[in-house]
Amino acid sequence: AATCTDTQPHSFTTDRAEFLGREGSPEAPAALRRSRLSDRAGELVDPCAALMTPLEVPAGGEEEVVFLLGQTAAPEEARRLVRAYAAPGQVEAALEEVRALWDRILGTVQVRTPDPALDLMLNRWLVYQALACRMWGRSAFYQSGGAFGFRDQLQDAMAIVYGAPGEARAQILRAAARQFEEGDVQHWWHPPAGRGVRTRITDDLIFLPLVVAHYVGVTGDLSLLDERVPFLHAPVLRPDQEEDYGLPEVSPTHESVYNHCERALECGLKLGPHGLPLMGTGDWNDGMNKVGVEGKGESVWNGWFMVATLREFAGLAEQRGDGARAAWCRERADALRVALEEHAWDGRWYRRAYFDNGTPLGSATNDECQIDSIAQSWAVISGGGDPERARQAMLAVEEHLVRDADGLILLLTPPFDRGRLEPGYIKGYVPGIRENGGQYTHAATWVVLATALLGQGQRAAELFDLINPVRHAASPDGVERYKVEPYVVCADVYGAPPHTGRGGWTWYTGSAAWLYRVGLEAILGFRLRGTRLELDPCVPPGWSGYEITYRHRSATYHVVVENSGGS
């Protein structure tokens, strides 16, 4: 529905061709050369909503017309809203209400550091991108799907837990309800019906216990664990079936969120010949969908990811008084650590995976993808990697994957091209583009996080700068090379000539949420734990200090961190 608040008669059309004119364009529509439109509506080939209203403005005077555009389930609801917003002052009041909402969410945590580019992204922009685009819109210029991804919006929820904890909680409940009785989950689904795809991708379900532990740890909201949520019921995938798109039934079985997490962990702990978690038809990297398609390939990254999740959930189980589950988690995390150190170490870094036939991936013996960043960064992030090996692995990342001069942190190298390995559809990307050897920013944020966790404040800030879109557009040459918006994070940056340094998919990327957490939590050290606020900075030695303003309920805390010692 569309209308305007002007009381004078106005004309309309729902025909885009009439508005634009023959061979017309939005820059010079034919409608601007007409005194009125046709008032024609109906089922048209190319619809639009165009309103025209006459307006006379006296010299030195002002006139205001507000155009309303919206959608309702019934015409009467549309008329009710039109009447409501036609009242004097209602539009201004609604706009002020929207501004106040965003101020409450985006202004919860504000920082002031010696780096204005970092401040610009941490103060409002990254949280806005994560919430408005990823959580609410689920659409952007490069993807207009509207679906929820199981792992996707759960990760976004970890960043908005400070300013919009209710939204984070709602997403956890929403995701838990997309878990099948067997413990696996829909990889993605479309609301409201819930039609989506069941796959053999192996990391999705593990994000549920990780995010639940993070949410409860930050907010102290233990009541979430007792919320009862249904499962989904559908036929399990046949042995020869990689995925199934359909509309599953809602199961009559309801269990607590805590039980949903337990079922996810038990389902996810399927191990291969080396004692590592199975790869399935992709772990975090969906494009590696052929590595473990036969059910025997293993994921090193899944191993580190499981170690991190099991450790986090063990703490949550103890907090709940479930000592048996805590012990179960720790025993399996320790077993995974042993298997990873025995079978994943390649000599200078950790391998990425094993194919179904036992061939390693991410090894110096490979002709392509000799090193992949996420197996190295998560050896640090999980806290499970041998300290000396983990440091050596991150040095290998610096040597092979970080390109300071180009402003890039690559995912893997060399790219897949003409070699013998057949990892899946990732090989269909042009070498140096997206996951195939370009910067996949999601993974690049983990490199920054691992660097900060190693205590390397100066280098962590430098790597943050390589990702920060503000830095990519700091000069005319940079703008010409980067080509995309300098105020939102992009999913990928091209790593091969002639497009080296060009931004790819913007807006709709989980990189925004992770970059926010890296800057706020890992570099500035902001750690909220229920009613306790901890600060554990890892900042450049040259910083004299920084400030954080945190609003919690009716109180506002202003924290000043001094770094006079330059440590």
Side-chain angles (χ1 to χ4, degrees):
T3 188
C4 70
T5 60
D6 184 23
T7 58
Q8 301 180 58
H10 56 274
S11 58
F12 69 89
T13 184
T14 60
D15 185 347
R16 188 189 306 261
E18 176 188 343
F19 179 80
L20 295 178
R22 186 177 180 181
E23 299 181 357
S25 68
E27 290 78 15
L32 293 184
R33 296 190 296 273
R34 298 175 57 177
S35 60
R36 64 175 296 111
L37 299 172
S38 66
D39 293 342
R40 207 167 48 232
E43 294 183 2
L44 303 171
V45 175
D46 195 5
C48 75
L51 301 172
M52 178 182 286
T53 183
L55 189 65
E56 293 185 7
V57 182
E62 293 183 4
E63 293 289 340
E64 181 178 279
V65 177
V66 177
F67 289 87
L68 306 177
L69 177 67
Q71 177 178 325
T72 63
E76 184 49 44
E77 176 64 10
R79 295 186 186 100
R80 185 191 68 79
L81 289 172
V82 168
R83 289 193 298 269
Y85 286 108
Q90 281 301 104
V91 170
E92 290 79 3
L95 183 58
E96 187 53 42
E97 184 179 349
V98 170
R99 289 191 180 116
L101 170 67
W102 280 115
D103 285 342
R104 285 196 303 273
I105 295 172
L106 305 181
T108 298
V109 182
Q110 295 287 287
V111 307
R112 184 179 179 186
T113 76
D115 183 352
L118 182 145
D119 295 355
L120 187 64
M121 298 309 293
L122 293 187
N123 294 337
R124 304 177 75 93
W125 270 114
L126 289 173
V127 178
Y128 178 81
Q129 183 177 351
L131 183 57
C133 180
R134 292 278 296 182
M135 297 288 287
W136 289 348
R138 301 186 305 282
S139 182
F141 303 123
Y142 303 89
Q143 177 172 334
S144 189
F148 283 104
F150 195 91
R151 73 160 84 99
D152 298 342
Q153 278 74 30
L154 276 177
Q155 291 177 81
D156 299 327
M158 299 173 82
I160 66 170
V161 72
Y162 304 111
E167 293 290 337
R169 192 182 200 272
Q171 183 58 36
I172 290 171
L173 295 173
R174 189 179 293 120
R178 310 318 297 175
Q179 182 181 29
F180 293 98
E181 295 163 321
E182 294 77 13
D184 61 322
V185 301
Q186 284 183 309
H187 184 55
W188 53 258
W189 72 93
H190 275 107
R195 190 177 294 274
V197 62
R198 188 176 196 173
T199 72
R200 298 187 187 277
I201 292 174
T202 48
D203 70 310
D204 284 330
L205 70 169
I206 303 303
F207 273 103
L208 181 63
L210 179 69
V211 176
V212 166
H214 175 76
Y215 170 85
V216 173
V218 169
T219 65
D221 179 15
L222 285 165
S223 68
L224 171 72
L225 302 178
D226 295 316
E227 293 275 6
R228 297 186 67 78
V229 181
F231 291 94
L232 297 177
H233 175 76
V236 297
L237 295 175
R238 301 186 307 272
D240 63 340
Q241 192 177 19
E242 292 185 23
E243 62 181 40
D244 180 52
Y245 174 74
L247 180 61
E249 300 174 2
V250 177
S251 169
T253 303
H254 288 57
E255 290 187 359
S256 69
V257 168
Y258 185 79
N259 295 143
H260 276 261
C261 292
E262 290 183 304
R263 199 172 292 203
L265 289 171
E266 291 169 1
C267 179
L269 269 172
K270 294 183 174 69
L271 308 180
H274 298 95
L276 304 178
L278 294 179
M279 181 82 168
T281 53
D283 49 12
W284 168 86
N285 195 329
D286 296 354
M288 292 184 174
N289 59 310
K290 297 299 182 183
V291 173
V293 68
E294 297 173 13
K296 298 185 288 293
E298 298 162 290
S299 167
V300 172
W301 177 80
N302 260 349
W304 294 126
F305 181 50
M306 286 292 300
V307 169
T309 302
L310 288 164
R311 286 180 163 188
E312 288 291 320
F313 200 78
L316 184 63
E318 281 188 340
Q319 193 176 1
R320 189 177 171 81
D322 188 354
R325 179 58 71 180
W328 182 92
C329 289
R330 292 197 173 100
E331 287 170 5
R332 280 149 184 81
D334 289 342
L336 282 173
R337 286 181 61 250
V338 171
L340 285 159
E341 294 297 351
E342 183 176 353
H343 298 293
W345 183 246
D346 196 60
R348 292 182 58 205
W349 55 78
Y350 290 100
R351 295 170 179 173
R352 175 63 175 84
Y354 284 96
F355 284 85
D356 287 308
N357 64 4
T359 300
L361 176 64
S363 167
T365 62
N366 297 136
D367 53 358
E368 296 171 348
C369 188
Q370 294 175 342
I371 179 172
D372 188 302
S373 77
I374 67 173
Q376 325 315 321
S377 58
W378 275 83
V380 177
I381 295 167
S382 68
D386 173 84
E388 183 53 40
R389 282 183 172 182
R391 286 183 177 274
Q392 188 176 346
M394 289 303 295
L395 286 174
V397 169
E398 288 276 0
E399 179 183 351
H400 296 284
L401 299 174
V402 178
R403 288 163 42 180
D404 290 272
D406 293 326
L408 296 171
I409 304 174
L410 305 181
L411 175 60
L412 58 85
T413 199
F416 295 104
D417 189 11
R418 302 179 184 277
R420 293 169 295 174
L421 298 178
E422 295 296 338
Y425 76 76
I426 184 175
K427 197 170 181 177
Y429 290 124
V430 175
I433 303 300
R434 292 183 64 80
E435 294 101 315
N436 194 15
Q439 173 178 292
Y440 206 70
T441 312
H442 197 148
T445 66
W446 291 341
V447 172
V448 188
L449 175 56
T451 302
L453 292 175
L454 290 175
Q456 300 169 7
Q458 180 65 43
R459 189 55 178 156
E462 292 168 355
L463 294 176
F464 190 101
D465 266 1
L466 292 187
I467 300 174
N468 193 333
V470 177
R471 298 297 189 189
H472 283 278
S475 68
D477 287 344
V479 171
E480 179 62 26
R481 179 171 56 252
Y482 193 50
K483 294 186 183 298
V484 294
E485 303 94 325
Y487 45 83
V488 292
V489 183
C490 59
D492 61 296
V493 182
Y494 301 169
H499 303 299
T500 301
R502 177 172 179 170
W505 185 319
T506 61
W507 278 103
Y508 196 75
T509 167
S511 309
W514 277 103
L515 191 61
Y516 180 74
R517 292 189 60 205
V518 169
L520 182 66
E521 298 172 6
I523 295 178
L524 300 186
F526 181 90
R527 311 279 174 82
L528 184 61
R529 295 293 180 267
T531 58
R532 187 174 73 253
L533 177 61
E534 303 172 356
L535 284 170
D536 185 15
C538 182
V539 299
W543 282 17
S544 60
Y546 60 93
E547 301 175 15
I548 299 177
T549 301
Y550 171 54
R551 188 180 65 248
H552 180 66
R553 296 177 180 170
S554 61
T556 300
Y557 301 89
H558 187 67
V559 181
V560 178
V561 179
E562 295 182 353
N563 190 34
S564 55
S567 58

